[in-house]
Amino acid sequence: MECYKCGCRLSEYDFCTGCGADVAFYKRIMHMSNHFYNDGLEKATVRDLSGAIVSLRHCLKYNKNHIEARNLLGLVYYEMGEVVAALKEWVTSQNIRPKKNIANDYISMVQSNPTRLDAINQTIKKYNQALAYCYQDSTDLAVIQLKKVLSYNPKFLQAHQLLALLYINSEEWDKAQRELFKCSQIDTNNTTTLRYQREVERMLTPEESGKSAPRKELSPGKSVRYQSGNEMIIQPVNTRESKGVSSLVNLGIGVIIGVAIACFLILPGQIQSAQADINDELRAVSEQSDAKSATIDELEQKVQKLEEENKTLTEEISTYQVTDGALKATDDLMMAVAAYVENPEDLKTVTEYLEQMEAAGEGEEEQYKSEAYSALYKSLSDAVSGELADYYYDAGYESFTARDYEAAIPNLQRAYQNDDRNVNALFYMGLSCYRSGHYSEAKEAFAEVIDKFPTTNSASQSRTYLAEINNMEQ
């Protein structure tokens, strides 16, 4: 656990050993976040997905940067068929930690399959259409749409629940029970599913005194009548179905006639039709192959011609790049000097021109830099080096405290280049590299702190971080 203020690793004390901040309440918040994450993980392992969602959301309320909780929440949503909500959580996790994050694999798994993405889009559209049909009281059309949705995404919990509700509305209790059983297999403790199941079970197993229990009436001597709801079922009394060998003989004759018709009339026509379709497909594929071969030959010739033209233009451009870069660097140096002469306190403008000059002159050969250029640059550097060191250090330390380590590294590096006695600039540059994953640069910076400033507190901390990096690389 790291200090929220300075980023130093926290110890067992209730204060930060790096900056002295009170971290007792902060530790309690982190512990509560981890508690809810563990609770959500336990519920997810027993398929209590709705309960896991509640616990993981509580975890993220305490610590929105909890990567493991956000990834697990995305997996729970994905298991319930809510792919859009899952992608939202994984993308947020990826933005918080771009590297070494399993959310990258989850996103690639979904986005790398165009067929799967199209199925997800169709699922969402058809589910929304089913809801619209429900509002329009077109329940039959809604049932058809929901069946299509579940054919694309069998784990879509909300679609199962809505289909079960439509079956309940139409009093098709057996179908509703089957859908709710599928819901319970996806999420064992979903409140909506349990409420629907209780209603269905109440209707399927009514009490003895209930109104829905069937009534049996015996008509005088002829039949038995059952009253089930609004329907009257009449069963004759003392009747027997005729049984004998004749029924089996008739069944066998029917089977033989059906097989004969299929063999002599239906199969030859189907075989001929299938062969004709195959020949048509082969002819179309052959024509497409010839056309693609001709197109490929034409494109290869164009590519070869374009490569030759590109090579010629590249050779021509290379003769102008060096001179243009030197001129641009000279202009930026002159503008930096003019800005400093006009207002020595406007270091922001001076640094902008100097950074542009370094970018324009990067990679230029020394023969294009005149003596006057070098002398002017040295004079300007000597005049503003101390102020530039303070300016870059303040900017870099501000980015470091905001945990924007990538922005802090170049500013702290420039601060140390202008003042090689600033141990804090070198130390925080190494710490920024360490926390942004640039371990080789961090090792070089920590080693330089230990070598040049061995008796400082920064050197002691550098030894600790250097040992951690070496342990990670083993």
Side-chain angles (χ1 to χ4, degrees):
M1 188 182 301
E2 296 179 351
C3 177
Y4 65 90
K5 188 173 182 180
C6 69
C8 181
R9 186 181 297 275
L10 297 179
S11 62
E12 66 276 10
Y13 301 106
D14 289 339
F15 60 88
C16 176
T17 57
C19 62
D22 186 4
V23 294
F25 190 66
Y26 172 73
K27 283 185 175 181
R28 185 178 179 184
I29 291 175
M30 292 297 103
H31 289 320
M32 288 297 297
S33 175
N34 292 333
H35 167 73
F36 280 115
Y37 168 72
N38 293 330
D39 184 62
L41 181 60
E42 290 179 358
K43 291 180 178 179
T45 53
V46 295
R47 298 200 69 83
D48 182 8
L49 303 185
S50 55
I53 290 176
V54 174
S55 297
L56 293 173
R57 285 192 174 278
H58 280 302
C59 171
L60 294 175
K61 284 182 180 180
Y62 284 103
N63 182 10
K64 65 180 180 179
N65 294 327
H66 202 304
I67 301 298
E68 290 77 10
R70 202 170 288 277
N71 291 340
L72 180 58
L73 182 59
L75 286 175
V76 172
Y77 280 134
Y78 186 82
E79 185 65 19
M80 295 175 68
E82 301 181 20
V83 183
V84 176
L87 285 173
K88 177 183 175 182
E89 297 298 332
W90 291 336
V91 169
T92 304
S93 173
Q94 185 185 47
N95 291 331
I96 296 173
R97 186 195 294 170
K99 297 180 180 179
K100 295 182 180 181
N101 191 343
I102 198 172
N104 298 328
D105 298 334
Y106 297 153
I107 295 172
S108 300
M109 177 188 66
V110 176
Q111 295 181 346
S112 61
N113 190 348
T115 305
R116 176 62 176 166
L117 284 177
D118 183 66
I120 292 170
N121 292 332
Q122 293 297 325
T123 299
I124 297 171
K125 292 179 182 179
K126 291 184 182 297
Y127 179 75
N128 292 334
Q129 185 62 47
L131 285 176
Y133 285 145
C134 292
Y135 292 136
Q136 297 170 7
D137 201 20
S138 301
T139 56
D140 294 337
L141 296 176
V143 169
I144 294 172
Q145 289 293 331
L146 289 173
K147 288 182 177 179
K148 292 181 180 179
V149 168
L150 293 174
S151 66
Y152 292 136
N153 189 356
K155 292 186 177 181
F156 197 173
L157 181 63
Q158 293 184 3
H160 282 294
Q161 290 175 340
L162 181 56
L163 183 57
L165 185 61
L166 292 175
Y167 284 145
I168 292 173
N169 184 58
S170 59
E171 297 184 356
E172 299 181 43
W173 308 111
D174 292 334
K175 293 182 179 181
Q177 190 177 40
R178 286 195 295 269
E179 290 300 323
L180 292 174
F181 177 72
K182 296 176 182 178
C183 293
S184 63
Q185 286 184 322
I186 298 172
D187 186 3
T188 58
N189 199 26
N190 188 276
T191 306
T192 304
T193 302
L194 295 176
R195 185 169 66 249
Y196 292 169
Q197 281 181 335
R198 185 179 63 180
E199 181 66 20
V200 171
E201 290 173 358
R202 187 177 68 85
M203 298 304 298
L204 289 176
T205 57
E207 298 179 358
E208 294 182 357
S209 59
K211 295 182 179 180
S212 60
R215 294 182 300 169
K216 182 171 74 173
E217 298 179 359
L218 182 62
S219 61
K222 291 186 178 181
S223 63
V224 177
R225 298 183 179 182
Y226 294 91
Q227 181 71 29
S228 178
N230 296 326
E231 296 182 358
M232 175 69 71
I233 301 173
I234 302 175
Q235 179 181 352
V237 179
N238 297 328
T239 59
R240 294 183 180 179
E241 296 180 357
S242 60
K243 298 181 182 180
V245 181
S246 60
S247 60
L248 296 176
V249 173
N250 292 332
L251 179 61
I253 293 172
V255 171
I256 293 172
I257 294 173
V259 171
I261 292 174
C263 292
F264 294 102
L265 298 179
I266 300 175
L267 286 179
Q270 290 183 346
I271 293 172
Q272 186 177 2
S273 177
Q275 289 178 346
D277 293 339
I278 292 173
N279 292 332
D280 292 338
E281 291 180 359
L282 288 175
R283 191 180 303 108
V285 169
S286 178
E287 293 175 357
Q288 291 178 1
S289 177
D290 294 339
K292 289 182 179 179
S293 298
T295 304
I296 290 172
D297 293 337
E298 183 180 356
L299 292 175
E300 287 179 350
Q301 294 177 0
K302 289 183 179 180
V303 168
Q304 185 177 2
K305 183 178 179 181
L306 290 173
E307 287 179 351
E308 294 176 355
E309 292 179 357
N310 184 37
K311 182 178 180 180
T312 303
L313 292 175
T314 302
E315 292 175 354
E316 293 178 359
I317 291 172
S318 62
T319 58
Y320 300 103
Q321 288 179 345
V322 175
T323 304
D324 291 343
L327 291 175
K328 181 65 171 62
T330 303
D331 291 342
D332 291 332
L333 178 60
M334 296 298 292
M335 293 298 293
V337 173
Y340 181 72
V341 172
E342 182 178 354
N343 186 5
E345 296 180 356
D346 188 9
L347 292 178
K348 182 178 180 181
T349 304
V350 175
T351 56
E352 289 177 355
Y353 284 121
L354 288 177
E355 291 173 3
Q356 293 176 6
M357 179 196 69
E358 292 176 359
E362 184 177 358
E364 300 294 339
E365 298 180 2
E366 292 296 330
Q367 58 181 341
Y368 294 101
K369 298 179 182 179
S370 62
E371 295 181 359
Y373 173 91
S374 300
L376 182 60
Y377 178 74
K378 185 177 183 306
S379 299
L380 180 63
S381 299
D382 294 340
V384 300
S385 60
E387 298 174 349
L388 286 180
D390 295 337
Y391 174 81
Y392 280 123
Y393 177 75
D394 293 339
Y397 187 74
E398 183 179 356
S399 299
F400 175 81
T401 55
R403 297 190 178 183
D404 188 1
Y405 302 121
E406 295 291 346
I409 291 172
N411 287 325
L412 293 171
Q413 186 176 12
R414 292 190 182 98
Y416 184 68
Q417 288 175 352
N418 285 277
D419 183 7
D420 57 0
R421 297 172 298 174
N422 191 342
V423 62
N424 291 329
L426 181 60
F427 172 71
Y428 284 117
M429 181 185 72
L431 193 55
S432 298
C433 292
Y434 171 70
R435 290 180 180 167
S436 58
H438 305 299
Y439 297 122
S440 59
E441 292 84 351
K443 289 175 64 177
E444 293 177 1
F446 289 144
E448 191 171 351
V449 170
I450 296 170
D451 182 48
K452 292 187 176 180
F453 311 97
T455 60
T456 62
N457 186 31
S458 298
S460 177
Q461 295 185 23
S462 296
R463 293 186 183 94
T464 302
Y465 286 114
L466 193 60
E468 291 182 2
I469 294 173
N470 291 330
N471 289 334
M472 291 170 57
E473 292 179 348
Q474 289 180 356

